[in-house]
Amino acid sequence: QRVNVTVRSGLPMVLAGSAEPCAQLLVSSIGVVGSAQQNQAHSARFFDFLTAELGLGPERIVIRFYPLEPWQIGKNGTVMTFL
């Protein structure tokens, strides 16, 4: 219920000066991504999954973490602060 995934394949991307296949994962969450320690643990799990599923080397993957506040996410006609 609290996870949304969007996949956009076939986009032209350049990573580290190379147009070889690559992936970028954007992760935003309330209270789950915020500290270096939290994101280091998440990063390890995401990299394990993405390298196995996509067949990419870890140098071809970038993960961007975005911590959010409950008032920044709207749902069911209100914001998460009140849910």
Side-chain angles (χ1 to χ4, degrees):
Q1 181 177 343
R2 294 181 180 250
V3 175
N4 299 295
V5 177
T6 301
V7 176
R8 296 182 186 160
S9 63
L11 294 176
M13 291 178 59
V14 174
L15 179 62
S18 170
E20 292 298 313
C22 60
Q24 177 176 240
L25 174 64
L26 308 178
V27 180
S28 58
S29 181
I30 298 169
V32 177
V33 298
S35 73
Q37 291 78 16
Q38 286 174 313
N39 293 347
Q40 184 179 35
H42 298 315
S43 183
R45 289 191 297 267
F46 283 130
F47 269 92
D48 287 346
F49 176 80
L50 292 171
T51 55
E53 292 298 315
L54 299 178
L56 297 173
E59 73 284 354
R60 300 301 301 155
I61 300 170
V62 173
I63 302 173
R64 295 167 54 188
F65 294 99
Y66 294 96
L68 298 172
E69 296 296 326
W71 55 266
Q72 293 176 305
I73 302 296
K75 187 172 180 182
N76 295 333
T78 186
V79 292
M80 293 300 289
T81 303
F82 303 110
L83 295 176

